[in-house]
Amino acid sequence: MHPIFRKTTFALAVFASLAVLAPAAHAAGEAKNVIFFLGDGMGPVTVTAARIYKGEKQLAAQPGSLKSSEYAKLQMQSLAYAARIKTFSHDGQTTDSAPSMSAYMTGVKMNNEVISMSSDTSAVDGSGKQYINGEDTTCPAGNGQPAQTLLELAKGQGRSVGAVSTTRVGHATPAATYAHICNRNGYNTIAEQSVTAGVDVLMGGGQRNYLPKAVNPSSKRSDTRNLVAEMQAKGYAYVDTGSKLAALDATKVDKLLGLFTQSEMSYELDRVKQGKDEPSLADMTTKALDVVSRNSKGFFLMVEGGRIDHALHGTNAKRALEDTLAFDKAIETAMAYMEKKDPGLKNTLIVVTADHDHNMVFNGYSKLGNPILGKVADYQSGRMAKAGDGKPYTTLVFGNGGRPNASASSQVNAEDGNKPWIAPARGASRDDLTAVDTTDDNFLQEVGINLGTPGSETHGGGDVMLFAGGAGARIFKGTMDNTKVFSKVREAAGL
């Protein structure tokens, strides 16, 4: 036999023996418990910028603890497995949150604005009018069929289930776990579905969709139903402030409903600075685990950092990064909690991902340690870098977004005592940022294309990251469509 053939034969034999010894690349039923973390709009640039921002905070509190801010570590990035996820929807190159989260939860590719329905479901009629009236659905019969979710599959096996968010509990991401509707904006209808969905824990904002005008003047309900009372009659403990949640012994509660604001919960920056009586995402995660983790059959819990997305829509990078760090803290809290109950996470799968990207861009070429919210300082000279117009520019900018206009409401931040936005104009020439504090809470990053007023920035169509750890996590790798994440979680959890 020629030497080359002897070597090849030997190599093949070794490879075959190793293949026999290697563990199979599947994880059937390993995870009795699943915690699915969703950072809404948390694209790769947001993750990177948040890591650096965390490093800046760490160095301010503990000088010398890092070589530079870039060396900081996020809890989500400590998970052993990673993948890239394609996010396009059934009808959009760039998705909105409804079909993207629904793809994770059902494995079905849907049209924009559709929540956990079949792919033929439409959110609008033939003329383009949305199937909503106020915040009630007008979806016609026969417009698609419900698609079963991971939460429902887990419930069907007797596991406890829950959804926690910093948005309204009927917002697209949490709703995709338990509701089925042709148009995501039917918040009253989604709230009604939550009453009978069998969710053991539901926490976030959204009082105005659950309480009638008789007890809540800010109500958006078009009827007199008190959904909170209906859920209390079903055995739910109800809390509406952070202090009440903190005082609740959730280890003795079987069902928990927490509605802490009329609509969305506060940004983390404002919750802390303004002393809001609202729980943090980590607080809600802990209480949710107190309830669902007592089930010997296991649980499925979805936790969303939902306002990351809203800050990015507003091109307000500082609030987006603060909310991303609060989201990462919730991941750290959950992992520490489950390590005590399930050492080594041998029965618990942790998945962290985003539903879509945004248009935030990371500019070059800053020196190491330059403030992520600051202006670019050249890595060679250390001096402030200048654009072609001779003016400085920030590290973080947006491809598109909004600017304040003549309307008074567009000029101020209603969530921060109506303080004025600091927003460089988007006109024939750029504003000079030399003397501008770009780290101010209410600074809005520059935008390339002006789409209107603050809040009008669009999602981005790029792939997002996924991190996984614990039981069954090894099957999360490579690049995959968002619908395949459903299959992976289902496989790992044996659903």
Side-chain angles (χ1 to χ4, degrees), residues 154-176:
K155 188 71 177 178
Q157 289 194 358
R159 305 186 198 190
S160 293
V161 295
V164 172
S165 177
T166 52
T167 65
R168 283 169 279 185
V169 296
H171 215 263
T173 298

Side-chain angles (χ1 to χ4, degrees), residues 234-371:
K234 288 177 173 286
Y236 285 84
Y238 174 63
V239 289
D240 58 6
T241 66
S243 54
K244 288 179 182 177
L245 181 64
L248 178 72
D249 184 355
T251 63
K252 298 178 181 177
V253 169
D254 293 325
K255 296 180 181 181
L256 176 58
L257 173 66
L259 301 174
F260 304 102
T261 54
Q262 291 293 336
S263 184
E264 325 303 347
M265 294 180 68
S266 298
Y267 288 112
E268 180 67 5
L269 184 70
D270 302 319
R271 186 189 73 84
V272 174
K273 281 195 170 184
Q274 298 175 30
K276 301 267 192 175
D277 193 6
E278 300 174 27
S280 68
L281 187 59
D283 293 336
M284 291 191 288
T285 301
T286 297
K287 294 294 184 177
L289 287 171
D290 282 344
V291 178
V292 300
S293 68
R294 303 200 316 268
N295 189 335
S296 61
K297 294 181 179 179
F299 65 84
F300 176 90
L301 177 65
M302 191 288 298
V303 178
E304 182 198 23
R307 301 223 65 194
I308 300 168
D309 174 74
H310 296 167
L312 291 168
H313 277 302
T315 67
N316 184 201
K318 187 170 187 176
R319 282 183 172 80
L321 301 189
E322 289 281 357
D323 266 53
T324 302
L325 294 187
F327 176 66
D328 197 58
K329 183 64 177 179
I331 297 167
E332 179 184 350
T333 299
M335 289 179 67
Y337 187 106
M338 291 309 300
E339 276 287 354
K340 292 178 181 178
K341 285 208 164 192
D342 179 24
L345 301 180
K346 294 179 180 178
N347 302 291
T348 304
L349 171 65
I350 307 286
V351 176
V352 181
T353 190
D355 48 353
H356 55 76
D357 198 358
H358 270 270
N359 278 289
M360 189 162 73
V361 178
F362 196 127
N363 282 326
Y365 289 102
S366 276
K367 64 178 183 178
L368 210 62
N370 198 61

Side-chain angles (χ1 to χ4, degrees), residues 2-266:
H2 193 281
I4 194 170
F5 292 119
R6 285 199 296 271
K7 290 178 182 178
T8 303
T9 303
F10 174 75
L12 288 171
V14 170
F15 180 81
S17 63
L18 289 174
V20 171
L21 294 172
H26 59 80
E30 289 184 19
K32 183 172 69 172
N33 312 310
V34 176
I35 310 178
F36 193 99
F37 287 95
L38 194 289
D40 201 315
M42 188 185 70
V45 170
T46 301
V47 173
T48 302
R51 188 189 75 240
I52 296 171
Y53 188 55
K54 179 181 181 180
E56 293 174 19
K57 287 173 171 283
Q58 181 177 330
L59 285 169
Q62 301 171 291
S65 60
L66 293 171
K67 184 177 178 180
S68 72
S69 56
E70 292 78 9
Y71 288 85
K73 296 179 180 179
L74 294 175
Q75 185 67 31
M76 68 182 83
Q77 293 179 315
S78 73
L79 296 169
Y81 297 90
R84 296 281 288 193
I85 309 300
K86 295 179 281 188
T87 63
F88 61 92
S89 69
H90 189 254
D91 64 344
Q93 196 172 65
T94 300
T95 188
D96 87 273
S97 295
S100 53
M101 182 59 174
S102 295
Y104 289 147
M105 291 298 104
T106 69
V108 178
K109 189 74 83 171
M110 290 164 219
N111 293 322
N112 279 352
E113 300 188 274
V114 175
I115 289 179
S116 296
M117 296 286 288
S118 54
S119 59
D120 59 341
T121 307
S122 176
V124 298
D125 64 19
S127 68
K129 184 179 183 299
Q130 294 200 354
Y131 283 125
I132 53 168
N133 179 22
E135 296 195 358
D136 296 310
T137 185
T138 59
C139 295
N143 182 18
Q145 298 295 323
Q148 193 172 35
T149 70
L150 289 170
L151 182 147
E152 291 167 334
L153 288 166
K155 188 71 177 178
Q157 289 194 358
R159 305 186 198 190
S160 293
V161 295
V164 172
S165 177
T166 52
T167 65
R168 283 169 279 185
V169 296
H171 215 263
T173 298
T177 67
Y178 64 82
H180 307 274
I181 193 168
C182 78
N183 190 298
R184 59 177 290 179
N185 297 302
Y187 293 109
N188 287 337
T189 308
I190 293 169
E192 291 159 17
Q193 290 186 19
S194 75
V195 177
T196 56
V199 181
D200 299 297
V201 176
L202 190 60
M203 283 192 283
Q207 295 168 0
R208 70 187 194 181
N209 299 115
Y210 281 77
L211 297 167
K213 287 185 172 63
V215 296
N216 180 17
S218 299
S219 177
K220 294 291 184 178
R221 293 209 60 78
S222 56
D223 57 22
T224 60
R225 288 183 68 180
N226 185 328
L227 303 186
V228 170
E230 291 182 26
M231 294 183 79
Q232 286 176 311
K234 288 177 173 286
Y236 285 84
Y238 174 63
V239 289
D240 58 6
T241 66
S243 54
K244 288 179 182 177
L245 181 64
L248 178 72
D249 184 355
T251 63
K252 298 178 181 177
V253 169
D254 293 325
K255 296 180 181 181
L256 176 58
L257 173 66
L259 301 174
F260 304 102
T261 54
Q262 291 293 336
S263 184
E264 325 303 347
M265 294 180 68
S266 298

Side-chain angles (χ1 to χ4, degrees), residues 403-415 418-421 453-454:
R403 299 289 89 176
N405 59 22
S407 66
S409 62
S410 74
Q411 299 172 14
V412 297
N413 182 0
E415 296 194 54
N418 286 324
K419 292 178 183 176
W421 293 119
T453 54

